[in-house]
Amino acid sequence: MSTLLNSAKSIVPLLDRVLVQRVKAQAKTASGLYLPEKNVEKLNQGTVLAVGPGFTDANGNKVAPQVKVGDQVLIPQYGGSSIKLKDDEEVILFRDSEILAKINDA
């Protein structure tokens, strides 16, 4: 059941889900050497592409997600549901509670 989607815009998260695109690490060292793709480590930072509307808890209170589209977030190394796109891009679907932190520009 692996379906390749055209773009991340075709994905609409439900409930408290958050769609994140992982930030790519530099493939070039400070001295100017290019690293092979398999040696470039994955960063634990991403950009929020889409956010679900939230959910209703057991008491009937609406719980909205803590992040919004465009936020820079810290994500766990493992977890989430990985989705492959046609242009060899990868996005990850997390629950709002799985996101570790929001990164503020200082």
Side-chain angles (χ1 to χ4, degrees), residues 37-105:
E37 218 174 281
K38 66 180 181 179
N39 290 352
V40 176
E41 68 180 67
K42 289 186 176 181
L43 298 177
N44 288 2
Q45 184 177 343
T47 303
V48 176
L49 300 177
V51 179
F55 68 97
T56 305
D57 67 7
N59 297 327
N61 299 321
K62 181 79 169 175
V63 179
Q66 300 284 321
V67 296
K68 63 183 184 309
V69 174
D71 282 349
Q72 294 293 313
V73 294
L74 190 64
I75 55 177
Q77 184 70 26
Y78 302 102
S81 299
S82 180
I83 302 167
K84 294 276 187 186
L85 303 176
K86 280 192 177 180
D87 54 358
D88 283 339
E89 290 291 321
E90 182 180 21
V91 293
I92 308 166
L93 199 59
F94 288 101
R95 286 190 176 275
D96 182 52
S97 60
E98 292 177 321
I99 293 178
L100 304 174
K102 193 185 320 185
I103 301 171
N104 293 326
D105 293 331

Short mmCIF file of all heavy atoms in Angstrom, two decimals, residues 37-105:
data_model
loop_
_atom_site.label_atom_id
_atom_site.label_comp_id
_atom_site.label_asym_id
_atom_site.label_seq_id
_atom_site.Cartn_x
_atom_site.Cartn_y
_atom_site.Cartn_z
N GLU A 37 25.45 11.31 -0.10
CA GLU A 37 24.13 11.44 0.51
C GLU A 37 23.93 10.50 1.69
O GLU A 37 23.32 10.84 2.68
CB GLU A 37 23.06 11.19 -0.55
CG GLU A 37 21.87 12.09 -0.38
CD GLU A 37 20.89 11.92 -1.51
OE1 GLU A 37 21.15 12.46 -2.59
OE2 GLU A 37 19.88 11.23 -1.29
N LYS A 38 24.47 9.28 1.60
CA LYS A 38 24.27 8.32 2.69
C LYS A 38 25.05 8.70 3.95
O LYS A 38 24.74 8.23 5.02
CB LYS A 38 24.65 6.91 2.24
CG LYS A 38 26.11 6.72 1.93
CD LYS A 38 26.40 5.31 1.50
CE LYS A 38 27.88 5.14 1.22
NZ LYS A 38 28.20 3.79 0.83
N ASN A 39 26.04 9.56 3.84
CA ASN A 39 26.83 9.98 5.00
C ASN A 39 26.31 11.25 5.66
O ASN A 39 26.79 11.65 6.70
CB ASN A 39 28.29 10.20 4.61
CG ASN A 39 28.98 8.89 4.28
OD1 ASN A 39 28.42 7.82 4.47
ND2 ASN A 39 30.19 8.99 3.77
N VAL A 40 25.32 11.90 5.02
CA VAL A 40 24.76 13.12 5.60
C VAL A 40 23.74 12.70 6.65
O VAL A 40 22.79 11.98 6.36
CB VAL A 40 24.09 13.98 4.50
CG1 VAL A 40 23.42 15.19 5.13
CG2 VAL A 40 25.12 14.40 3.47
N GLU A 41 23.95 13.16 7.88
CA GLU A 41 23.05 12.75 8.96
C GLU A 41 21.74 13.51 8.88
O GLU A 41 21.67 14.62 8.35
CB GLU A 41 23.71 12.97 10.32
CG GLU A 41 23.93 14.43 10.66
CD GLU A 41 24.58 14.59 12.00
OE1 GLU A 41 25.74 14.19 12.14
OE2 GLU A 41 23.92 15.13 12.90
N LYS A 42 20.69 12.88 9.41
CA LYS A 42 19.38 13.52 9.43
C LYS A 42 19.30 14.42 10.66
O LYS A 42 19.66 14.02 11.76
CB LYS A 42 18.28 12.47 9.49
CG LYS A 42 18.13 11.69 8.21
CD LYS A 42 16.94 10.78 8.30
CE LYS A 42 16.74 10.07 6.97
NZ LYS A 42 15.58 9.18 7.02
N LEU A 43 18.82 15.63 10.45
CA LEU A 43 18.69 16.57 11.55
C LEU A 43 17.35 16.36 12.25
O LEU A 43 16.40 15.87 11.66
CB LEU A 43 18.77 18.00 11.03
CG LEU A 43 20.08 18.40 10.36
CD1 LEU A 43 19.99 19.82 9.83
CD2 LEU A 43 21.23 18.28 11.34
N ASN A 44 17.29 16.73 13.51
CA ASN A 44 16.06 16.61 14.29
C ASN A 44 15.26 17.91 14.25
O ASN A 44 14.59 18.26 15.19
CB ASN A 44 16.37 16.26 15.75
CG ASN A 44 16.85 14.85 15.89
OD1 ASN A 44 16.98 14.13 14.91
ND2 ASN A 44 17.11 14.45 17.10
N GLN A 45 15.36 18.61 13.15
CA GLN A 45 14.66 19.88 12.99
C GLN A 45 13.80 19.80 11.75
O GLN A 45 14.18 19.18 10.76
CB GLN A 45 15.66 21.01 12.87
CG GLN A 45 15.05 22.38 12.79
CD GLN A 45 16.11 23.47 12.73
OE1 GLN A 45 17.27 23.24 13.06
NE2 GLN A 45 15.71 24.63 12.32
N GLY A 46 12.63 20.43 11.80
CA GLY A 46 11.74 20.41 10.65
C GLY A 46 10.88 21.65 10.57
O GLY A 46 10.84 22.46 11.50
N THR A 47 10.18 21.76 9.45
CA THR A 47 9.25 22.86 9.21
C THR A 47 7.84 22.30 9.14
O THR A 47 7.61 21.32 8.42
CB THR A 47 9.59 23.58 7.89
OG1 THR A 47 10.95 24.03 7.96
CG2 THR A 47 8.67 24.75 7.65
N VAL A 48 6.91 22.91 9.84
CA VAL A 48 5.51 22.46 9.83
C VAL A 48 4.87 22.88 8.52
O VAL A 48 4.87 24.06 8.16
CB VAL A 48 4.74 23.05 11.03
CG1 VAL A 48 3.28 22.67 10.96
CG2 VAL A 48 5.36 22.59 12.34
N LEU A 49 4.33 21.90 7.77
CA LEU A 49 3.68 22.16 6.49
C LEU A 49 2.17 22.26 6.62
O LEU A 49 1.53 23.00 5.87
CB LEU A 49 4.03 21.05 5.49
CG LEU A 49 5.51 20.86 5.18
CD1 LEU A 49 5.69 19.69 4.24
CD2 LEU A 49 6.10 22.12 4.60
N ALA A 50 1.58 21.47 7.52
CA ALA A 50 0.12 21.47 7.71
C ALA A 50 -0.19 20.99 9.12
O ALA A 50 0.56 20.22 9.70
CB ALA A 50 -0.53 20.56 6.68
N VAL A 51 -1.32 21.46 9.64
CA VAL A 51 -1.73 21.12 11.00
C VAL A 51 -3.21 20.76 10.99
O VAL A 51 -4.01 21.43 10.35
CB VAL A 51 -1.50 22.33 11.96
CG1 VAL A 51 -1.95 22.00 13.37
CG2 VAL A 51 -0.06 22.76 11.95
N GLY A 52 -3.55 19.70 11.72
CA GLY A 52 -4.95 19.31 11.87
C GLY A 52 -5.69 20.28 12.78
O GLY A 52 -5.08 21.10 13.46
N PRO A 53 -7.02 20.18 12.83
CA PRO A 53 -7.83 21.12 13.61
C PRO A 53 -7.78 20.90 15.12
O PRO A 53 -8.24 21.74 15.88
CB PRO A 53 -9.24 20.89 13.09
CG PRO A 53 -9.23 19.47 12.63
CD PRO A 53 -7.84 19.23 12.09
N GLY A 54 -7.26 19.78 15.58
CA GLY A 54 -7.26 19.47 17.00
C GLY A 54 -8.28 18.38 17.30
O GLY A 54 -8.86 17.80 16.39
N PHE A 55 -8.51 18.13 18.58
CA PHE A 55 -9.46 17.08 18.96
C PHE A 55 -10.24 17.53 20.19
O PHE A 55 -9.92 18.53 20.82
CB PHE A 55 -8.73 15.76 19.22
CG PHE A 55 -7.84 15.77 20.43
CD1 PHE A 55 -8.29 15.26 21.63
CD2 PHE A 55 -6.56 16.28 20.37
CE1 PHE A 55 -7.49 15.26 22.75
CE2 PHE A 55 -5.74 16.29 21.49
CZ PHE A 55 -6.21 15.78 22.68
N THR A 56 -11.28 16.78 20.51
CA THR A 56 -12.09 17.04 21.69
C THR A 56 -11.76 16.00 22.75
O THR A 56 -11.81 14.81 22.48
CB THR A 56 -13.59 16.98 21.33
OG1 THR A 56 -13.84 17.87 20.25
CG2 THR A 56 -14.44 17.36 22.52
N ASP A 57 -11.39 16.45 23.95
CA ASP A 57 -11.02 15.51 25.01
C ASP A 57 -12.26 14.89 25.65
O ASP A 57 -13.40 15.18 25.26
CB ASP A 57 -10.11 16.17 26.04
CG ASP A 57 -10.79 17.26 26.85
OD1 ASP A 57 -12.01 17.44 26.74
OD2 ASP A 57 -10.08 17.95 27.62
N ALA A 58 -12.06 14.06 26.66
CA ALA A 58 -13.15 13.33 27.30
C ALA A 58 -14.15 14.27 28.00
O ALA A 58 -15.31 13.90 28.19
CB ALA A 58 -12.59 12.33 28.31
N ASN A 59 -13.70 15.47 28.37
CA ASN A 59 -14.58 16.43 29.04
C ASN A 59 -15.31 17.35 28.07
O ASN A 59 -16.03 18.24 28.48
CB ASN A 59 -13.77 17.29 30.02
CG ASN A 59 -13.17 16.46 31.12
OD1 ASN A 59 -13.75 15.47 31.54
ND2 ASN A 59 -11.98 16.85 31.57
N GLY A 60 -15.09 17.14 26.76
CA GLY A 60 -15.74 17.96 25.75
C GLY A 60 -15.02 19.25 25.43
O GLY A 60 -15.55 20.10 24.74
N ASN A 61 -13.79 19.40 25.91
CA ASN A 61 -13.01 20.61 25.64
C ASN A 61 -12.22 20.44 24.35
O ASN A 61 -11.64 19.40 24.09
CB ASN A 61 -12.03 20.88 26.78
CG ASN A 61 -12.73 21.11 28.10
OD1 ASN A 61 -13.78 21.74 28.14
ND2 ASN A 61 -12.18 20.57 29.16
N LYS A 62 -12.20 21.48 23.54
CA LYS A 62 -11.44 21.47 22.29
C LYS A 62 -9.97 21.69 22.60
O LYS A 62 -9.60 22.64 23.29
CB LYS A 62 -11.96 22.57 21.37
CG LYS A 62 -11.27 22.66 20.05
CD LYS A 62 -11.78 21.62 19.11
CE LYS A 62 -11.25 21.91 17.72
NZ LYS A 62 -11.58 20.92 16.77
N VAL A 63 -9.11 20.78 22.13
CA VAL A 63 -7.67 20.87 22.34
C VAL A 63 -7.02 21.17 20.99
O VAL A 63 -7.02 20.32 20.09
CB VAL A 63 -7.10 19.57 22.94
CG1 VAL A 63 -5.60 19.69 23.13
CG2 VAL A 63 -7.80 19.23 24.25
N ALA A 64 -6.52 22.39 20.84
CA ALA A 64 -5.89 22.81 19.59
C ALA A 64 -4.41 22.44 19.59
O ALA A 64 -3.78 22.39 20.65
CB ALA A 64 -6.04 24.32 19.43
N PRO A 65 -3.84 22.16 18.42
CA PRO A 65 -2.41 21.86 18.34
C PRO A 65 -1.56 23.05 18.82
O PRO A 65 -1.98 24.20 18.73
CB PRO A 65 -2.17 21.59 16.85
CG PRO A 65 -3.51 21.18 16.34
CD PRO A 65 -4.49 21.98 17.14
N GLN A 66 -0.36 22.76 19.31
CA GLN A 66 0.54 23.78 19.85
C GLN A 66 1.35 24.51 18.78
O GLN A 66 1.99 25.50 19.08
CB GLN A 66 1.52 23.12 20.83
CG GLN A 66 0.86 22.42 21.99
CD GLN A 66 0.38 23.41 23.02
OE1 GLN A 66 1.04 24.39 23.31
NE2 GLN A 66 -0.79 23.15 23.57
N VAL A 67 1.35 24.00 17.55
CA VAL A 67 2.16 24.59 16.48
C VAL A 67 1.25 25.06 15.35
O VAL A 67 0.09 24.68 15.28
CB VAL A 67 3.20 23.58 15.95
CG1 VAL A 67 4.20 23.22 17.00
CG2 VAL A 67 2.53 22.33 15.40
N LYS A 68 1.82 25.88 14.47
CA LYS A 68 1.08 26.35 13.30
C LYS A 68 1.96 26.20 12.06
O LYS A 68 3.17 25.98 12.17
CB LYS A 68 0.61 27.78 13.49
CG LYS A 68 1.71 28.81 13.63
CD LYS A 68 1.13 30.18 13.88
CE LYS A 68 2.16 31.27 13.93
NZ LYS A 68 3.28 31.10 14.77
N VAL A 69 1.37 26.33 10.91
CA VAL A 69 2.09 26.19 9.64
C VAL A 69 3.23 27.21 9.59
O VAL A 69 3.05 28.37 9.93
CB VAL A 69 1.13 26.38 8.45
CG1 VAL A 69 1.89 26.37 7.13
CG2 VAL A 69 0.07 25.30 8.44
N GLY A 70 4.40 26.74 9.21
CA GLY A 70 5.58 27.60 9.09
C GLY A 70 6.50 27.56 10.29
O GLY A 70 7.63 28.04 10.22
N ASP A 71 6.04 27.02 11.42
CA ASP A 71 6.88 26.94 12.61
C ASP A 71 8.06 26.00 12.39
O ASP A 71 7.94 24.99 11.70
CB ASP A 71 6.09 26.41 13.82
CG ASP A 71 5.19 27.45 14.45
OD1 ASP A 71 5.31 28.64 14.11
OD2 ASP A 71 4.35 27.06 15.28
N GLN A 72 9.19 26.35 12.98
CA GLN A 72 10.36 25.47 13.01
C GLN A 72 10.25 24.67 14.30
O GLN A 72 10.06 25.25 15.37
CB GLN A 72 11.66 26.28 13.01
CG GLN A 72 11.89 27.06 11.74
CD GLN A 72 12.13 26.14 10.55
OE1 GLN A 72 12.92 25.20 10.63
NE2 GLN A 72 11.44 26.40 9.46
N VAL A 73 10.34 23.34 14.19
CA VAL A 73 10.15 22.48 15.36
C VAL A 73 11.28 21.49 15.51
O VAL A 73 11.99 21.18 14.55
CB VAL A 73 8.80 21.72 15.28
CG1 VAL A 73 7.63 22.68 15.37
CG2 VAL A 73 8.70 20.88 14.02
N LEU A 74 11.43 21.00 16.74
CA LEU A 74 12.38 19.95 17.07
C LEU A 74 11.58 18.65 17.11
O LEU A 74 10.58 18.56 17.83
CB LEU A 74 13.03 20.24 18.42
CG LEU A 74 14.21 19.40 18.83
CD1 LEU A 74 15.37 19.62 17.86
CD2 LEU A 74 14.64 19.78 20.23
N ILE A 75 11.99 17.67 16.33
CA ILE A 75 11.25 16.42 16.23
C ILE A 75 12.10 15.25 16.73
O ILE A 75 13.33 15.34 16.74
CB ILE A 75 10.77 16.15 14.77
CG1 ILE A 75 11.95 16.19 13.81
CG2 ILE A 75 9.71 17.15 14.37
CD1 ILE A 75 11.60 15.88 12.37
N PRO A 76 11.45 14.16 17.16
CA PRO A 76 12.23 13.01 17.62
C PRO A 76 12.98 12.35 16.48
O PRO A 76 12.56 12.44 15.31
CB PRO A 76 11.17 12.07 18.20
CG PRO A 76 9.88 12.51 17.65
CD PRO A 76 10.01 13.94 17.28
N GLN A 77 14.08 11.70 16.79
CA GLN A 77 14.90 11.01 15.77
C GLN A 77 14.08 9.92 15.08
O GLN A 77 14.17 9.74 13.89
CB GLN A 77 16.15 10.41 16.42
CG GLN A 77 17.10 9.77 15.44
CD GLN A 77 17.82 10.77 14.55
OE1 GLN A 77 18.00 11.92 14.93
NE2 GLN A 77 18.21 10.35 13.39
N TYR A 78 13.29 9.20 15.87
CA TYR A 78 12.48 8.12 15.33
C TYR A 78 11.02 8.39 15.67
O TYR A 78 10.72 9.08 16.62
CB TYR A 78 12.91 6.77 15.93
CG TYR A 78 14.36 6.47 15.66
CD1 TYR A 78 15.31 6.65 16.65
CD2 TYR A 78 14.77 6.05 14.41
CE1 TYR A 78 16.65 6.38 16.40
CE2 TYR A 78 16.10 5.79 14.15
CZ TYR A 78 17.04 5.95 15.15
OH TYR A 78 18.35 5.70 14.90
N GLY A 79 10.13 7.81 14.90
CA GLY A 79 8.70 7.98 15.17
C GLY A 79 8.02 8.69 14.03
O GLY A 79 8.63 9.07 13.03
N GLY A 80 6.74 8.88 14.16
CA GLY A 80 5.97 9.51 13.11
C GLY A 80 5.72 8.54 11.97
O GLY A 80 6.25 7.42 11.94
N SER A 81 4.90 8.95 11.04
CA SER A 81 4.60 8.15 9.85
C SER A 81 5.21 8.82 8.64
O SER A 81 4.82 9.92 8.25
CB SER A 81 3.08 8.02 9.66
OG SER A 81 2.51 7.37 10.76
N SER A 82 6.18 8.18 8.04
CA SER A 82 6.90 8.73 6.90
C SER A 82 6.07 8.57 5.63
O SER A 82 5.48 7.51 5.39
CB SER A 82 8.23 8.00 6.76
OG SER A 82 8.94 8.51 5.68
N ILE A 83 6.02 9.63 4.81
CA ILE A 83 5.27 9.61 3.56
C ILE A 83 6.21 10.04 2.44
O ILE A 83 6.83 11.10 2.51
CB ILE A 83 4.07 10.57 3.62
CG1 ILE A 83 3.16 10.18 4.78
CG2 ILE A 83 3.31 10.58 2.31
CD1 ILE A 83 2.14 11.22 5.13
N LYS A 84 6.34 9.20 1.42
CA LYS A 84 7.18 9.52 0.27
C LYS A 84 6.36 10.27 -0.77
O LYS A 84 5.23 9.90 -1.07
CB LYS A 84 7.72 8.23 -0.38
CG LYS A 84 8.66 7.46 0.50
CD LYS A 84 10.03 8.00 0.38
CE LYS A 84 10.98 7.08 1.14
NZ LYS A 84 12.30 7.60 1.20
N LEU A 85 6.94 11.30 -1.34
CA LEU A 85 6.31 12.07 -2.40
C LEU A 85 6.98 11.72 -3.73
O LEU A 85 8.07 11.17 -3.75
CB LEU A 85 6.42 13.57 -2.11
CG LEU A 85 5.84 14.03 -0.78
CD1 LEU A 85 6.10 15.51 -0.58
CD2 LEU A 85 4.36 13.73 -0.70
N LYS A 86 6.32 12.05 -4.83
CA LYS A 86 6.83 11.67 -6.15
C LYS A 86 8.19 12.26 -6.48
O LYS A 86 8.97 11.66 -7.19
CB LYS A 86 5.83 12.07 -7.24
CG LYS A 86 4.69 11.11 -7.36
CD LYS A 86 3.89 11.36 -8.59
CE LYS A 86 2.81 10.30 -8.68
NZ LYS A 86 1.98 10.47 -9.84
N ASP A 87 8.50 13.43 -5.97
CA ASP A 87 9.78 14.07 -6.30
C ASP A 87 10.89 13.65 -5.33
O ASP A 87 11.82 14.40 -5.08
CB ASP A 87 9.61 15.58 -6.33
CG ASP A 87 9.01 16.14 -5.05
OD1 ASP A 87 8.69 15.34 -4.14
OD2 ASP A 87 8.87 17.36 -4.95
N ASP A 88 10.79 12.43 -4.81
CA ASP A 88 11.77 11.86 -3.88
C ASP A 88 11.90 12.64 -2.58
O ASP A 88 12.88 12.50 -1.85
CB ASP A 88 13.15 11.70 -4.52
CG ASP A 88 13.21 10.51 -5.45
OD1 ASP A 88 12.38 9.59 -5.30
OD2 ASP A 88 14.09 10.49 -6.32
N GLU A 89 10.93 13.49 -2.28
CA GLU A 89 10.89 14.18 -1.01
C GLU A 89 10.21 13.28 0.00
O GLU A 89 9.46 12.37 -0.35
CB GLU A 89 10.12 15.50 -1.13
CG GLU A 89 10.83 16.56 -1.93
CD GLU A 89 12.07 17.09 -1.22
OE1 GLU A 89 12.04 17.27 0.01
OE2 GLU A 89 13.06 17.32 -1.92
N GLU A 90 10.47 13.53 1.27
CA GLU A 90 9.84 12.76 2.33
C GLU A 90 9.29 13.73 3.37
O GLU A 90 9.96 14.68 3.76
CB GLU A 90 10.86 11.84 2.99
CG GLU A 90 10.30 10.98 4.07
CD GLU A 90 11.36 10.08 4.69
OE1 GLU A 90 12.56 10.39 4.59
OE2 GLU A 90 10.97 9.09 5.30
N VAL A 91 8.05 13.50 3.78
CA VAL A 91 7.43 14.27 4.85
C VAL A 91 7.02 13.30 5.94
O VAL A 91 6.88 12.10 5.69
CB VAL A 91 6.24 15.12 4.36
CG1 VAL A 91 6.69 16.21 3.43
CG2 VAL A 91 5.19 14.26 3.69
N ILE A 92 6.84 13.80 7.15
CA ILE A 92 6.53 12.93 8.28
C ILE A 92 5.30 13.47 8.99
O ILE A 92 5.18 14.68 9.22
CB ILE A 92 7.72 12.87 9.27
CG1 ILE A 92 9.00 12.51 8.53
CG2 ILE A 92 7.44 11.86 10.37
CD1 ILE A 92 10.25 12.75 9.31
N LEU A 93 4.39 12.57 9.33
CA LEU A 93 3.18 12.92 10.04
C LEU A 93 3.33 12.54 11.50
O LEU A 93 3.55 11.37 11.82
CB LEU A 93 2.00 12.18 9.40
CG LEU A 93 0.60 12.69 9.65
CD1 LEU A 93 0.46 14.13 9.17
CD2 LEU A 93 -0.40 11.82 8.93
N PHE A 94 3.28 13.54 12.39
CA PHE A 94 3.42 13.32 13.83
C PHE A 94 2.13 13.70 14.53
O PHE A 94 1.35 14.51 14.02
CB PHE A 94 4.52 14.23 14.42
CG PHE A 94 5.92 13.85 14.06
CD1 PHE A 94 6.60 14.52 13.07
CD2 PHE A 94 6.56 12.83 14.74
CE1 PHE A 94 7.90 14.19 12.76
CE2 PHE A 94 7.86 12.48 14.43
CZ PHE A 94 8.53 13.16 13.43
N ARG A 95 1.93 13.18 15.73
CA ARG A 95 0.90 13.71 16.62
C ARG A 95 1.49 14.97 17.24
O ARG A 95 2.71 15.09 17.42
CB ARG A 95 0.55 12.72 17.73
CG ARG A 95 -0.28 11.57 17.25
CD ARG A 95 -0.79 10.79 18.46
NE ARG A 95 -1.66 9.73 18.04
CZ ARG A 95 -2.97 9.87 17.80
NH1 ARG A 95 -3.54 11.03 17.97
NH2 ARG A 95 -3.68 8.85 17.42
N ASP A 96 0.64 15.92 17.57
CA ASP A 96 1.09 17.16 18.17
C ASP A 96 1.91 16.89 19.44
O ASP A 96 2.92 17.55 19.70
CB ASP A 96 -0.12 18.05 18.49
CG ASP A 96 0.27 19.39 19.07
OD1 ASP A 96 1.11 20.08 18.47
OD2 ASP A 96 -0.27 19.74 20.13
N SER A 97 1.51 15.90 20.22
CA SER A 97 2.20 15.59 21.47
C SER A 97 3.58 14.97 21.25
O SER A 97 4.39 14.93 22.17
CB SER A 97 1.34 14.65 22.32
OG SER A 97 1.10 13.45 21.62
N GLU A 98 3.89 14.49 20.04
CA GLU A 98 5.20 13.90 19.75
C GLU A 98 6.25 14.95 19.43
O GLU A 98 7.44 14.68 19.50
CB GLU A 98 5.10 12.92 18.58
CG GLU A 98 4.30 11.68 18.87
CD GLU A 98 4.18 10.78 17.67
OE1 GLU A 98 4.00 11.29 16.54
OE2 GLU A 98 4.26 9.56 17.86
N ILE A 99 5.82 16.14 19.06
CA ILE A 99 6.77 17.20 18.72
C ILE A 99 7.43 17.68 20.02
O ILE A 99 6.76 17.96 21.00
CB ILE A 99 6.07 18.34 17.98
CG1 ILE A 99 5.62 17.80 16.62
CG2 ILE A 99 6.99 19.54 17.82
CD1 ILE A 99 4.88 18.77 15.77
N LEU A 100 8.76 17.72 20.00
CA LEU A 100 9.52 17.99 21.22
C LEU A 100 9.52 19.46 21.62
O LEU A 100 9.41 19.79 22.80
CB LEU A 100 10.95 17.50 21.05
CG LEU A 100 11.09 16.03 20.69
CD1 LEU A 100 12.55 15.69 20.41
CD2 LEU A 100 10.53 15.14 21.78
N ALA A 101 9.68 20.38 20.65
CA ALA A 101 9.78 21.79 20.98
C ALA A 101 9.56 22.63 19.73
O ALA A 101 9.71 22.15 18.60
CB ALA A 101 11.15 22.10 21.56
N LYS A 102 9.22 23.89 19.96
CA LYS A 102 9.12 24.86 18.90
C LYS A 102 10.39 25.69 18.96
O LYS A 102 10.84 26.08 20.04
CB LYS A 102 7.90 25.74 19.11
CG LYS A 102 7.55 26.57 17.90
CD LYS A 102 6.41 27.56 18.10
CE LYS A 102 5.25 27.12 18.90
NZ LYS A 102 4.17 28.13 18.92
N ILE A 103 11.01 25.98 17.82
CA ILE A 103 12.25 26.75 17.77
C ILE A 103 11.91 28.20 17.43
O ILE A 103 11.35 28.47 16.37
CB ILE A 103 13.23 26.16 16.73
CG1 ILE A 103 13.55 24.72 17.09
CG2 ILE A 103 14.49 27.00 16.65
CD1 ILE A 103 14.32 23.96 16.03
N ASN A 104 12.25 29.10 18.34
CA ASN A 104 12.00 30.53 18.12
C ASN A 104 13.26 31.18 17.56
O ASN A 104 14.36 30.88 18.00
CB ASN A 104 11.61 31.23 19.43
CG ASN A 104 10.27 30.78 19.93
OD1 ASN A 104 9.38 30.47 19.15
ND2 ASN A 104 10.12 30.73 21.24
N ASP A 105 13.08 32.07 16.59
CA ASP A 105 14.22 32.83 16.07
C ASP A 105 14.60 33.89 17.09
O ASP A 105 13.76 34.62 17.59
CB ASP A 105 13.85 33.50 14.74
CG ASP A 105 13.63 32.47 13.65
OD1 ASP A 105 14.24 31.40 13.71
OD2 ASP A 105 12.83 32.75 12.73
#
